[in-house]
Amino acid sequence: LISFSISANVSEDVTPMVRSVDVRVMARSDDAEEFVSGSVSLTSSDLELMKDGSSLQRAVGMRWTSITIPPGSIILKAYINFTVDETGSNPLNIRFYGEASNNAPTFGRSSKNISLRPKTSTFVRWANVPAWTIIGQVHQTPDISSLIQEVVNRSGWTRGNSLVVIVTNDSVNVGPRTAESYNGAPAKAPLLHIEYVEGP
């Protein structure tokens, strides 16, 4: 009697798949500037961070729609690409917040429509923003994945919802840095890039 056994080593690749989304601001009212007075502009041909001529900006808001990230996802990396509309090299320090909302609405003209929106507890500081010296050049922000994660972690977040990022001053250094807006050049409007892994 001959007996034998067969053993099989079965391995399965369980490496999570990294996915990404790239979406631009896609409407006239989805990027906006708020001045210190509280007035909001929805029609500017560019976005000034954080000074328009002699007028200081309190906040700049950008909204991206149809974010196809499902609830429970892990955000690995995220950033915004700005395209230079005007050169600038004066010192600038700014902060990025997410809007603490399940499905952020577009901007309106009501006073302080950007600054009064609920913000994420997390923010990302961009200190000593490099000079923007070449019109048309693209500049990438620091990683803002922590903001996106806080929004996606909300109990009411659903795939396809809209997301807002709010920019504010971080110091007396107000630049500006001037980026293309949807109104000025739709194909060069702020672009949001997110890399993520879907949750269980």
Side-chain angles (χ1 to χ4, degrees):
L1 177 65
I2 300 175
S3 63
F4 60 91
S5 63
I6 299 175
S7 63
N9 294 320
V10 178
S11 63
E12 181 179 356
D13 184 0
V14 293
T15 304
M17 179 181 294
V18 177
R19 304 177 186 273
S20 67
V21 296
D22 290 277
V23 58
R24 288 193 186 275
V25 170
M26 292 297 291
R28 297 175 64 87
S29 61
D30 280 350
D31 52 18
E33 300 166 314
E34 181 183 316
F35 296 92
V36 172
S37 65
S39 65
V40 175
S41 172
L42 303 178
T43 58
S44 177
S45 62
D46 49 30
L47 297 174
E48 281 89 6
L49 310 169
M50 298 291 303
K51 187 178 181 182
D52 186 358
S54 60
S55 300
L56 297 179
Q57 311 273 38
R58 174 182 278 123
V60 169
M62 295 159 288
R63 176 178 179 259
W64 295 274
T65 59
S66 301
I67 305 296
T68 57
I69 299 175
S73 295
I74 300 170
I75 309 302
L76 303 176
K77 185 177 183 179
Y79 56 80
I80 300 167
N81 278 343
F82 291 112
T83 301
V84 177
D85 183 54
E86 298 175 6
T87 60
S89 58
N90 288 338
L92 176 65
N93 300 311
I94 52 181
R95 290 185 181 189
F96 296 89
Y97 293 86
E99 180 177 338
S101 172
N102 298 329
N103 189 22
T106 195
F107 300 106
R109 295 185 182 278
S110 58
S111 181
K112 301 181 181 179
N113 185 264
I114 304 173
S115 62
L116 287 182
R117 293 180 176 224
K119 298 180 182 66
T120 54
S121 59
T122 306
F123 68 87
V124 171
R125 187 171 187 247
W126 193 2
N128 302 314
V129 178
W132 292 7
T133 59
I134 301 174
I135 292 175
Q137 189 172 55
V138 175
H139 286 267
Q140 179 179 308
T141 70
D143 183 18
I144 60 169
S145 57
S146 57
L147 314 181
I148 310 302
Q149 187 70 71
E150 186 172 334
V151 174
V152 170
N153 283 350
R154 294 177 60 86
S155 60
W157 174 263
T158 300
R159 184 199 298 264
N161 280 4
S162 298
L163 185 150
V164 159
V165 170
I166 297 168
V167 188
T168 66
N169 287 325
D170 188 66
S171 71
V172 295
N173 297 325
V174 294
R177 300 294 183 271
T178 305
E180 295 282 7
S181 69
Y182 178 84
N183 294 301
K188 298 178 181 178
L191 181 142
L192 177 63
H193 172 86
I194 305 174
E195 298 174 15
Y196 67 98
V197 174
E198 291 191 8

Coordinates of all heavy atoms in Angstrom, one line a residue, residues 137-186:
Q137 N 2.5 78.3 -15.9 CA 3.1 77.2 -15.1 C 2.1 76.6 -14.1 O 1.3 77.4 -13.5 CB 4.4 77.6 -14.5 CG 5.2 76.5 -13.9 CD 6.6 77.0 -13.4 OE1 6.7 78.0 -12.6 NE2 7.7 76.4 -13.9
V138 N 2.2 75.3 -13.8 CA 1.4 74.7 -12.8 C 2.1 74.5 -11.5 O 3.3 74.1 -11.5 CB 0.9 73.3 -13.3 CG1 0.1 72.6 -12.2 CG2 0.0 73.5 -14.5
H139 N 1.5 74.9 -10.4 CA 2.1 74.8 -9.0 C 1.2 73.9 -8.2 O 0.0 74.0 -8.2 CB 2.2 76.1 -8.3 CG 3.4 77.0 -8.9 ND1 4.6 76.9 -8.3 CD2 3.4 77.8 -10.0 CE1 5.4 77.7 -9.0 NE2 4.7 78.3 -10.0
Q140 N 1.8 72.9 -7.5 CA 1.1 71.9 -6.7 C 1.2 72.3 -5.3 O 2.3 72.6 -4.7 CB 1.7 70.6 -7.0 CG 1.1 69.4 -6.2 CD 1.8 68.1 -6.5 OE1 1.9 67.7 -7.7 NE2 2.2 67.4 -5.5
T141 N 0.1 72.2 -4.6 CA 0.0 72.5 -3.1 C 0.7 71.3 -2.3 O 0.9 70.2 -2.9 CB -1.4 72.6 -2.6 OG1 -2.1 71.3 -2.7 CG2 -2.2 73.6 -3.5
P142 N 0.9 71.6 -1.1 CA 1.3 70.4 -0.2 C 0.2 69.4 -0.1 O -1.0 69.7 -0.6 CB 1.5 71.1 1.2 CG 1.8 72.6 0.9 CD 1.0 72.9 -0.4
D143 N 0.5 68.3 0.4 CA -0.5 67.2 0.6 C -1.6 67.6 1.5 O -1.4 68.0 2.6 CB 0.2 66.0 1.1 CG -0.7 64.8 1.3 OD1 -1.8 64.8 0.6 OD2 -0.4 63.8 2.0
I144 N -2.9 67.6 1.0 CA -4.1 68.0 1.8 C -4.9 66.7 2.0 O -6.1 66.9 2.3 CB -4.8 69.1 1.1 CG1 -5.3 68.7 -0.3 CG2 -4.0 70.4 1.0 CD1 -6.4 69.6 -0.9
S145 N -4.3 65.5 2.0 CA -5.1 64.3 2.2 C -5.9 64.3 3.5 O -6.9 63.7 3.6 CB -4.2 63.1 2.1 OG -3.2 63.1 3.0
S146 N -5.3 64.9 4.6 CA -6.0 64.9 5.9 C -7.3 65.6 5.8 O -8.3 65.2 6.5 CB -5.1 65.6 6.9 OG -4.7 66.9 6.6
L147 N -7.4 66.7 5.1 CA -8.7 67.4 4.9 C -9.7 66.5 4.2 O -10.9 66.4 4.6 CB -8.5 68.7 4.1 CG -7.4 69.6 4.4 CD1 -7.4 70.8 3.5 CD2 -7.4 70.0 5.9
I148 N -9.3 65.9 3.1 CA -10.2 65.1 2.3 C -10.6 63.9 3.2 O -11.8 63.5 3.1 CB -9.5 64.6 1.0 CG1 -8.9 65.8 0.3 CG2 -10.5 63.9 0.2 CD1 -9.8 66.9 -0.1
Q149 N -9.7 63.3 3.9 CA -10.1 62.2 4.8 C -11.2 62.5 5.8 O -12.1 61.8 6.0 CB -8.8 61.6 5.5 CG -9.1 60.3 6.3 CD -9.2 59.2 5.3 OE1 -8.3 58.7 4.7 NE2 -10.5 58.6 5.3
E150 N -11.0 63.7 6.4 CA -12.0 64.1 7.4 C -13.4 64.2 6.7 O -14.4 63.9 7.4 CB -11.6 65.4 8.0 CG -12.5 65.8 9.2 CD -12.0 67.0 10.0 OE1 -10.8 67.3 10.0 OE2 -12.9 67.7 10.6
V151 N -13.5 64.7 5.5 CA -14.8 64.9 4.8 C -15.3 63.5 4.5 O -16.5 63.2 4.7 CB -14.6 65.8 3.6 CG1 -15.9 65.8 2.8 CG2 -14.2 67.2 4.0
V152 N -14.5 62.7 3.9 CA -14.9 61.3 3.5 C -15.4 60.5 4.7 O -16.2 59.6 4.5 CB -13.8 60.6 2.6 CG1 -14.2 59.2 2.3 CG2 -13.6 61.4 1.3
N153 N -14.8 60.8 5.8 CA -15.1 60.0 7.0 C -16.5 60.4 7.6 O -17.0 59.7 8.5 CB -14.1 60.2 8.1 CG -12.8 59.4 7.8 OD1 -12.8 58.5 7.0 ND2 -11.8 59.7 8.6
R154 N -17.1 61.5 7.1 CA -18.4 61.9 7.7 C -19.4 60.8 7.4 O -19.4 60.2 6.3 CB -18.8 63.2 7.0 CG -17.9 64.4 7.4 CD -18.3 65.7 6.7 NE -19.7 66.1 7.1 CZ -20.0 66.8 8.1 NH1 -19.1 67.2 9.0 NH2 -21.3 67.1 8.4
S155 N -20.4 60.7 8.3 CA -21.4 59.6 8.2 C -22.3 59.9 7.0 O -22.8 58.9 6.5 CB -22.2 59.6 9.5 OG -22.9 60.8 9.7
G156 N -22.4 61.1 6.6 CA -23.3 61.4 5.4 C -22.6 61.4 4.1 O -23.3 61.7 3.1
W157 N -21.3 61.2 4.1 CA -20.6 61.2 2.8 C -21.0 60.1 1.9 O -21.2 58.9 2.3 CB -19.1 61.2 3.0 CG -18.4 61.1 1.7 CD1 -17.9 59.9 1.1 CD2 -18.1 62.1 0.8 NE1 -17.3 60.2 -0.2 CE2 -17.4 61.6 -0.4 CE3 -18.3 63.5 0.8 CZ2 -17.0 62.3 -1.4 CZ3 -17.9 64.3 -0.3 CH2 -17.2 63.7 -1.4
T158 N -21.3 60.4 0.6 CA -21.7 59.4 -0.4 C -20.9 59.6 -1.7 O -20.6 60.7 -2.0 CB -23.2 59.5 -0.7 OG1 -23.9 59.2 0.5 CG2 -23.6 58.4 -1.7
R159 N -20.6 58.5 -2.4 CA -19.9 58.6 -3.7 C -20.7 59.5 -4.6 O -21.9 59.4 -4.7 CB -19.8 57.2 -4.3 CG -19.1 57.2 -5.6 CD -19.4 55.9 -6.4 NE -19.0 54.7 -5.7 CZ -17.9 54.0 -5.9 NH1 -17.0 54.5 -6.8 NH2 -17.6 52.9 -5.3
G160 N -20.0 60.5 -5.2 CA -20.7 61.4 -6.1 C -21.0 62.8 -5.5 O -21.5 63.7 -6.2
N161 N -20.7 62.9 -4.2 CA -21.0 64.2 -3.5 C -20.0 65.2 -4.0 O -19.0 64.9 -4.6 CB -21.0 64.0 -2.0 CG -22.3 63.5 -1.5 OD1 -23.2 63.2 -2.3 ND2 -22.4 63.3 -0.2
S162 N -20.2 66.5 -3.5 CA -19.3 67.6 -3.8 C -18.5 68.0 -2.6 O -18.9 67.8 -1.5 CB -20.1 68.8 -4.3 OG -20.9 68.5 -5.5
L163 N -17.3 68.5 -2.9 CA -16.4 68.8 -1.8 C -15.8 70.2 -2.0 O -15.5 70.6 -3.2 CB -15.3 67.8 -1.9 CG -14.2 67.7 -0.9 CD1 -13.7 66.3 -0.7 CD2 -13.0 68.6 -1.3
V164 N -15.6 71.0 -0.9 CA -15.1 72.3 -1.0 C -13.8 72.4 -0.2 O -13.7 71.8 0.9 CB -16.1 73.3 -0.4 CG1 -15.5 74.6 0.0 CG2 -17.2 73.7 -1.5
V165 N -12.8 73.2 -0.7 CA -11.6 73.5 0.0 C -11.6 75.0 0.2 O -11.9 75.8 -0.8 CB -10.4 73.0 -0.7 CG1 -9.1 73.6 0.0 CG2 -10.3 71.5 -0.6
I166 N -11.3 75.5 1.4 CA -11.3 76.9 1.7 C -9.8 77.3 2.0 O -9.1 76.6 2.8 CB -12.2 77.2 2.9 CG1 -13.6 76.9 2.5 CG2 -12.0 78.7 3.3 CD1 -14.6 76.9 3.7
V167 N -9.4 78.4 1.4 CA -8.0 78.9 1.6 C -8.1 80.2 2.4 O -8.9 81.1 2.1 CB -7.3 79.2 0.3 CG1 -5.8 79.5 0.6 CG2 -7.4 78.0 -0.7
T168 N -7.3 80.3 3.5 CA -7.3 81.6 4.3 C -5.8 82.0 4.5 O -4.9 81.2 4.3 CB -7.9 81.3 5.7 OG1 -7.1 80.4 6.4 CG2 -9.3 80.8 5.5
N169 N -5.7 83.2 5.0 CA -4.3 83.7 5.4 C -3.8 83.0 6.6 O -4.6 82.6 7.5 CB -4.4 85.2 5.7 CG -4.6 86.1 4.5 OD1 -4.1 85.7 3.4 ND2 -5.3 87.2 4.6
D170 N -2.5 82.8 6.7 CA -1.9 82.2 7.8 C -1.0 83.2 8.6 O -0.6 83.0 9.7 CB -1.1 81.0 7.4 CG -0.6 80.2 8.6 OD1 -1.4 79.6 9.3 OD2 0.6 80.2 8.9
S171 N -0.8 84.4 8.0 CA 0.1 85.4 8.6 C -0.2 86.7 7.9 O -1.1 86.8 7.1 CB 1.5 85.0 8.5 OG 2.0 85.1 7.2
V172 N 0.7 87.7 8.2 CA 0.5 89.0 7.6 C 1.1 89.0 6.2 O 0.9 89.9 5.4 CB 1.3 90.1 8.4 CG1 0.6 90.3 9.7 CG2 2.7 89.8 8.6
N173 N 1.8 87.9 5.8 CA 2.3 87.7 4.5 C 1.2 87.3 3.5 O 0.8 86.1 3.6 CB 3.5 86.7 4.5 CG 4.6 87.2 5.3 OD1 4.9 88.3 5.4 ND2 5.3 86.2 6.0
V174 N 0.8 88.2 2.7 CA -0.4 87.9 1.9 C -0.2 87.9 0.4 O -1.1 87.9 -0.4 CB -1.5 89.0 2.2 CG1 -2.0 88.9 3.6 CG2 -1.0 90.4 1.9
G175 N 1.1 87.8 0.0 CA 1.4 87.6 -1.5 C 1.1 88.8 -2.3 O 1.6 89.9 -2.0
P176 N 0.4 88.6 -3.4 CA -0.5 87.5 -3.7 C 0.2 86.5 -4.6 O 1.3 86.7 -5.2 CB -1.6 88.1 -4.5 CG -1.0 89.3 -5.3 CD 0.1 89.8 -4.3
R177 N -0.5 85.3 -4.8 CA -0.3 84.4 -5.9 C -1.6 84.3 -6.7 O -2.6 84.2 -6.1 CB 0.1 83.0 -5.4 CG 1.4 82.9 -4.6 CD 2.6 83.3 -5.4 NE 3.8 83.2 -4.6 CZ 4.3 84.1 -3.8 NH1 3.7 85.3 -3.8 NH2 5.4 83.9 -3.0
T178 N -1.5 84.5 -8.0 CA -2.7 84.6 -8.8 C -2.9 83.4 -9.8 O -2.0 83.2 -10.6 CB -2.7 85.9 -9.6 OG1 -2.5 87.0 -8.7 CG2 -4.0 86.2 -10.3
A179 N -3.9 82.7 -9.6 CA -4.2 81.5 -10.3 C -5.4 81.7 -11.3 O -6.3 82.5 -11.0 CB -4.5 80.3 -9.4
E180 N -5.4 80.9 -12.3 CA -6.5 80.9 -13.2 C -7.8 80.4 -12.5 O -7.7 79.5 -11.6 CB -6.3 79.9 -14.4 CG -5.2 80.4 -15.3 CD -5.6 81.5 -16.3 OE1 -6.7 82.1 -16.1 OE2 -4.7 81.9 -17.2
S181 N -8.9 81.0 -12.8 CA -10.2 80.6 -12.3 C -11.0 79.9 -13.5 O -10.6 80.0 -14.6 CB -11.0 81.7 -11.7 OG -11.4 82.6 -12.8
Y182 N -12.2 79.4 -13.1 CA -13.1 78.8 -14.1 C -13.5 79.9 -15.1 O -13.6 79.8 -16.3 CB -14.3 78.2 -13.5 CG -15.2 77.6 -14.6 CD1 -15.0 76.4 -15.1 CD2 -16.3 78.4 -15.0 CE1 -15.9 75.9 -16.1 CE2 -17.2 77.9 -16.0 CZ -17.0 76.7 -16.5 OH -17.8 76.2 -17.5
N183 N -13.8 81.1 -14.5 CA -14.3 82.2 -15.4 C -13.2 82.7 -16.3 O -13.5 83.1 -17.5 CB -14.7 83.4 -14.5 CG -15.9 83.1 -13.6 OD1 -16.9 82.7 -14.1 ND2 -15.7 83.2 -12.3
G184 N -11.9 82.6 -16.0 CA -10.9 83.1 -16.8 C -10.4 82.1 -17.8 O -10.2 82.4 -19.0
A185 N -10.3 80.8 -17.4 CA -9.8 79.8 -18.3 C -10.3 78.4 -17.8 O -9.6 77.8 -17.0 CB -8.3 79.8 -18.4
P186 N -11.5 78.0 -18.2 CA -12.1 76.7 -17.7 C -11.1 75.5 -17.7 O -11.1 74.7 -16.8 CB -13.3 76.5 -18.5 CG -13.7 77.9 -19.0 CD -12.4 78.6 -19.2

